[in-house]
Amino acid sequence: MTNTRDIGHWIDGKPFTGTASVTAPVTNPATGQITGQVRMADVADVRTAIDAATAAFPSWRDTSLAKRTAILFRFRELLNARKPELAAVITAEHGKVLSDALGEVTRGQEVVEFACGIPYLLEGRYTENASTGVDAYTVRAPLGPVAIISPFNFPAMVPMWFFPLAIAAGNTVVLKPSEKDPSASLWLAQLWAEAGLPPGVFNVVQGDKTAVDELLVNPAVKAVSFVGSTPVAQYVYSTATAAGKRVQALGGAKNHAVILPDADLDLAADAMVNAGFGSAGERCMAISVAVAVGDVADELVAKIAARTRRLRVGDGLAEADMGPLVTAAHRDNVRGYVESAEADGATLVVDGRDVAADDGGTDIDVSQGFWLGPTLVDHVTPDMSVYRDEIFGPVLSVVRVETYDQALELVNANPYGNGTAIFTNDGGAARRFQNEVEVGMVGINVPIPVPMAYYSFGGWKNSLFGDTHAHGSEGVRFFTRAKAITSRWLDPSHGGVNLGFPQNT
């Protein structure tokens, strides 16, 4: 505790301590050591950030697209040069292995690169002489201050789904990151300052529900982007829309992968391990259910198990395949699902509860880390809690069905609709699946179908509240609103008084 860092906020272009005295511990999940105390904003602190964003908005809105784009390009170049530095910050607080953290930053950078094309993305329409001497045109106008509330599992990538487009379009931002891994957001704020972003355009407030609630109801905040669990997404959506705000709230997931009898089982087994256990399963796009169709289940499970047993679990800064879970409480919660599956009669093919963590030869004491190894559970049925709930941990369930139709029915009956995948060598089956499945993002022989930045990211059903997905053209539309303008430039004689409804002539 004596060497812990004081982690504060970033408001109006500089670090901000705030008035609140409440803090929360930040840990290194690999060691269990408390490495920092993050300051939890009170209402006054959040209002200070909102006031800074409000004051900065008029000037930033009126900044030319050329200057905005130049700052975005500088931010992109700085980020590209220093990605390993940000990845290390993420690993130290989240626990994911360094290569995974670097991948997260790279995927976030893709949205920055997409936002660099904002002059084209904001193009309006123009009609000359729509009526005699009258021109009509549309522009995309920024909203004002917007809030981003992001989760612990992607402390860099998820905020970067939103703030590059928000800022490029002329909005100002207040980001509320997870209190579990708050330092990446401050690192990004400093990078924006180095890129030349004016003070107040990008602000960071640390905190919990107190901070969130103020962002949801404060009238100066015009829109809210959220990623997290479904219950919280529902709360964010209902609260913020009731306050008159535009909202995109991305919720939870229970992603299925359907493996048909004609699939390449080696490819499918590799994919299940990668998508099920990468980042310790703490991904909203993780595959948590493998649906084995027909007679492939025994061979598929054997192949997954063989690969799973070879995984090395350890400190993310060392040579490991999978790191720890983010907190001890979360680790214990995931363990509870494994115990429940066993009690419900499922088969624990690989049990990760007694995993021995590897320090990677670093002599770092990992004995108190938040460890749970990759766990493979077979003969799972839809009535089991290990199937019903979003576990957000390294637990892969195998459900056995006889036919494609049964697999499709299983996926479509699930209340979540974030991502799904199908593994097959039959193009007709794949095309039928992409048409019939009720899920927002579909992979064909691709286990984690996260779209590129120029396509939208978002699910269906209880995985999304609101009409607009993240990034892509939908992101541009979310952070702007249309303004239709009708213009006439004539001589001083305007034709006299006429109370009739305007007509085009």
Side-chain angles (χ1 to χ4, degrees), residues 16-32:
F16 180 79
T17 300
T19 60
S21 59
V22 177
T23 63
V26 177
T27 59
N28 179 341
T31 64

Side-chain angles (χ1 to χ4, degrees), residues 75-95:
F75 180 82
R76 187 266 176 200
E77 291 305 298
L78 289 169
L79 179 62
N80 192 53
R82 293 169 57 185
K83 284 191 292 187
E85 181 182 330
L86 178 54
V89 171
I90 294 168
T91 296
E93 292 183 349
H94 176 277

Side-chain angles (χ1 to χ4, degrees), residues 140-459:
R140 302 296 306 183
L143 307 177
V146 300
I148 299 169
I149 304 167
S150 63
F152 76 85
N153 60 321
F154 287 104
M157 185 185 74
V158 167
M160 282 195 282
W161 281 351
F162 303 109
F163 69 65
L165 288 175
I167 290 172
N171 302 282
T172 54
V173 170
V174 178
L175 167 63
K176 207 298 288 183
S178 171
E179 66 275 17
K180 295 180 178 67
D181 43 13
S183 296
S185 60
L186 297 174
W187 192 96
L188 290 165
Q190 177 64 48
L191 203 71
W192 272 121
E194 292 179 32
L197 192 70
V201 177
F202 183 77
N203 307 276
V204 178
V205 287
Q206 315 288 357
D208 53 14
K209 188 174 183 295
T210 297
V212 168
D213 284 347
E214 180 60 24
L215 293 172
L216 299 184
V217 302
N218 192 299
V221 176
K222 304 305 180 185
V224 177
S225 299
F226 170 85
V227 177
S229 69
T230 285
V232 181
Q234 289 176 309
Y235 173 79
V236 167
Y237 181 75
S238 61
T239 304
T241 53
K245 303 185 192 306
R246 181 177 290 188
V247 182
Q248 50 183 180
L250 283 66
K254 194 70 178 180
N255 303 321
H256 297 63
V258 175
I259 298 93
L260 295 186
D262 70 319
D264 181 328
L265 293 188
D266 286 315
L267 171 66
D270 287 343
M272 294 305 96
V273 173
N274 295 338
F277 305 132
S279 195
E282 293 173 329
R283 293 172 175 162
C284 65
M285 290 297 286
I287 292 295
S288 55
V289 181
V291 185
V293 180
D295 60 0
V296 301
D298 287 343
E299 185 179 358
L300 175 67
V301 169
K303 289 178 178 292
I304 296 173
R307 288 160 170 79
T308 301
R309 294 189 180 101
R310 293 197 296 266
L311 296 178
R312 185 165 60 177
V313 178
D315 185 354
L317 293 174
E319 293 295 326
D321 299 305
M322 193 187 93
L325 275 74
V326 69
T327 65
H330 183 52
R331 185 268 319 275
D332 294 343
N333 186 59
V334 177
R335 283 180 63 97
Y337 280 104
V338 178
E339 292 162 2
S340 175
E342 187 175 37
D344 288 340
T347 303
L348 290 185
V349 180
V350 180
D351 188 345
R353 288 175 292 181
D354 298 320
V355 67
D358 190 341
D359 65 7
T362 61
D363 294 327
I364 296 173
D365 182 7
V366 296
S367 62
Q368 301 304 309
F370 311 138
W371 304 107
L372 182 71
T375 300
L376 177 61
V377 188
D378 195 6
H379 299 102
V380 171
T381 58
D383 60 307
M384 298 178 182
S385 63
V386 73
Y387 174 83
R388 293 194 313 269
D389 299 344
E390 182 183 29
I391 297 175
F392 227 61
V395 180
L396 177 64
S397 298
V398 178
V399 177
R400 299 175 178 230
V401 299
E402 294 299 321
T403 66
Y404 165 89
D405 288 331
Q406 291 175 348
L408 179 70
E409 181 181 2
L410 186 73
V411 177
N412 285 348
N414 196 274
Y416 297 107
N418 205 45
T420 189
I422 188 168
F423 286 82
T424 179
N425 284 314
D426 185 335
R431 193 172 189 278
R432 180 182 171 189
F433 183 76
Q434 74 179 40
N435 178 58
E436 295 177 337
V437 73
E438 297 171 3
V439 173
M441 293 170 284
V442 181
I444 298 173
N445 297 316
V446 174
I448 304 179
V450 177
M452 298 296 292
Y454 38 84
Y455 286 99
S456 64
F457 180 101

